[in-house]
Amino acid sequence: KAKLAEFAGVRDIADDSSLGQREVHVQLKPGAAGLDLTVADVATQVRGALYGLEPHVFSAQREDIKVRVRLDERSRGSLYAIENMYVITPAGQRVPLGEVADVVESTAYSSIHRVDRKRATTVTADTAPWANPEEIMAEMGPELEALKREYAGVGIDLGGRQREMKRAFGSLPLGFMAACVLIYIILAWTFGSYLQPLALMLAIPFSVVGVIVGHLVMGYQMTFLSLIGFVALSGIVVNDSLILVDFFNKKRRDGAKLREALIAAGRERLRPIFLTTITTILGLMPLMLEQSFQAKFLIPMAISISFGLASATVLILVALPCIIVILDDVKASIYYLWKGRRRPFDPGRTDPVLTHEALTE
């Protein structure tokens, strides 16, 4: 709690270990075993002296009245009197309590909480809207490790938001990889190619630029929902790339050369790609500009999609054709290394040696 109080923006620091009333701890000494005294024997007699025993119940005025026998109030409030009270051994001997047990006064907790059957104290705190809880916990990491080393029997675990964030970050990469695999399978089945889906999916990392810039421009911290927005953005970016590559493949099937097909695809598909991007951004604009408290949780996700899509659209029109050309060169190199000769006729290649007329001759 003291360390949390050092951070700006952290408030309402509290814990659930509130102190209660005074209590007396009675712990048997080793010599008590020689008198056949057990913890239960001593506890029963001490409780009877302080809280009282009920030897009789009688009825009066249509009520059951319990008769409770216990020490007088002055003796019950004196630790000296409690230490010098007598307990009865199983053999009937009377011995002072202080001779067979240690009596220590302390303060009890009003409630004891346990997690996985281990005693636990929960420390909670709230943060201001401009403070980042993840950054605060990251800075507190060395302090928490130092506490663990100093107090070997104490464990420190994250709970609440931090635990959920840890679980979410653990499962998000797996979900993202599964989504990428499914996208690749669908694209490979659609195009009948193993390399073209890779070219489309290589455009996904370009959207990270827009995601980072968007959070800086809008003044928001990157949160878990920002990453969720990036995962959703991956499918939208592939959709834009799909429009370009599908038209490129049609041009190639019509006999266009590689360079001509790419230029034609960029020129003809420019408007559909920009319309897809603009309509998506305009649809998310009201959410990004909303100032209500409820909307602030979703705004980082909208920023990731909008700015990431804007940057990816520009980079797709420039980088994707380059990626396609590079992959085509890679295919030609692999074919040459494997077969020992250059690829057969390809309408997209401009090498005059590999024209249809040259091969026919």
Side-chain angles (χ1 to χ4, degrees):
K1 289 171 66 176
K3 183 62 181 177
L4 281 173
E6 297 177 2
F7 292 94
V10 180
R11 59 196 181 191
D12 299 333
I13 304 172
D15 65 83
D16 59 354
S17 59
S18 56
L19 296 177
Q21 298 178 346
R22 296 164 56 200
E23 69 178 11
V24 173
H25 290 179
V26 180
Q27 185 174 4
L28 290 185
K29 296 180 179 180
L35 299 174
D36 294 332
L37 282 173
T38 63
V39 175
D41 294 334
V42 176
T44 301
Q45 296 185 50
V46 172
R47 183 181 186 278
L50 300 179
Y51 181 74
L53 299 174
E54 298 176 357
H56 181 62
V57 178
F58 66 94
S59 297
Q61 300 179 356
R62 299 181 180 180
E63 292 183 3
D64 290 338
I65 299 177
K66 299 177 181 179
V67 177
R68 179 175 298 170
V69 180
R70 59 182 179 179
L71 292 178
D72 60 280
E73 184 176 355
R74 182 177 179 181
S75 299
R76 295 198 309 270
S78 171
L79 185 60
Y80 175 81
I82 296 174
E83 289 178 339
N84 290 275
M85 66 173 287
Y86 285 90
V87 293
I88 309 300
T89 66
Q93 298 176 340
R94 298 172 65 249
V95 294
L97 177 62
E99 296 294 331
V100 296
D102 292 323
V103 181
V104 180
E105 183 181 10
S106 64
T107 303
Y109 289 96
S110 59
S111 60
I112 296 177
H113 303 273
R114 297 184 182 275
V115 176
D116 296 332
R117 295 189 295 180
K118 296 179 180 179
R119 188 167 177 176
T121 298
T122 303
V123 179
T124 59
D126 294 330
T127 56
W130 47 267
N132 191 325
E134 284 68 43
E135 293 182 356
I136 294 174
M137 292 306 302
E139 294 184 26
M140 283 192 63
E143 298 289 339
L144 298 181
E145 293 299 325
L147 285 176
K148 290 181 181 180
R149 291 191 298 267
E150 185 176 356
Y151 303 98
V154 176
I156 301 176
D157 297 324
L158 298 180
R161 173 191 170 111
Q162 301 304 316
R163 177 180 294 175
E164 294 301 322
M165 289 288 291
K166 185 177 180 180
R167 292 177 179 175
F169 278 112
S171 61
L172 185 62
L174 298 177
F176 180 67
M177 292 300 298
C180 290
V181 170
L182 291 175
I183 291 174
Y184 177 83
I185 292 173
I186 293 174
L187 293 178
W189 175 50
T190 302
F191 292 139
S193 170
Y194 294 110
L195 288 180
Q196 273 198 348
L198 291 178
L200 270 70
M201 297 182 68
L202 284 175
I204 295 176
F206 292 112
S207 60
V208 177
V209 177
V211 173
I212 297 174
V213 172
H215 282 80
L216 292 175
V217 171
M218 298 295 292
Y220 279 84
Q221 297 282 350
M222 291 195 67
T223 64
F224 178 70
L225 286 178
S226 302
L227 301 181
I228 293 292
F230 173 72
V231 174
L233 174 65
S234 303
I236 304 175
V237 170
V238 169
N239 184 37
D240 279 354
S241 305
L242 186 62
I243 297 174
L244 180 68
V245 174
D246 183 63
F247 191 85
F248 163 75
N249 289 337
K250 290 180 181 179
K251 287 292 185 180
R252 293 284 282 168
R253 286 193 294 267
D254 293 340
K257 298 177 181 179
L258 181 67
R259 178 182 173 87
E260 295 174 355
L262 287 173
I263 293 175
R267 181 175 58 249
E268 297 295 333
R269 298 290 90 185
L270 178 63
R271 181 180 297 176
I273 291 175
F274 267 105
L275 286 176
T276 303
T277 301
I278 293 173
T279 52
T280 303
I281 294 176
L282 291 178
L284 293 171
M285 189 68 69
L287 176 59
M288 288 192 295
L289 299 179
E290 180 61 43
Q291 298 298 319
S292 64
F293 179 77
Q294 292 80 359
K296 289 189 178 296
F297 293 100
L298 298 176
I299 288 177
M301 181 173 64
I303 292 175
S304 296
I305 296 176
S306 300
F307 284 86
L309 183 58
S311 67
T313 300
V314 177
L315 293 173
I316 282 170
L317 295 171
V318 176
L320 184 57
C322 299
I323 294 173
I324 294 175
V325 173
I326 293 172
L327 289 179
D328 186 76
D329 291 340
V330 170
K331 289 169 61 178
S333 301
I334 294 175
Y335 186 90
Y336 181 80
L337 293 174
W338 186 260
K339 298 289 186 178
R341 62 179 185 274
R342 304 180 72 172
R343 275 193 308 182
F345 170 68
D346 183 350
R349 296 185 62 85
T350 59
D351 190 344
V353 178
L354 293 179
T355 60
H356 181 64
E357 292 78 11
L359 291 175
T360 303
E361 292 175 2

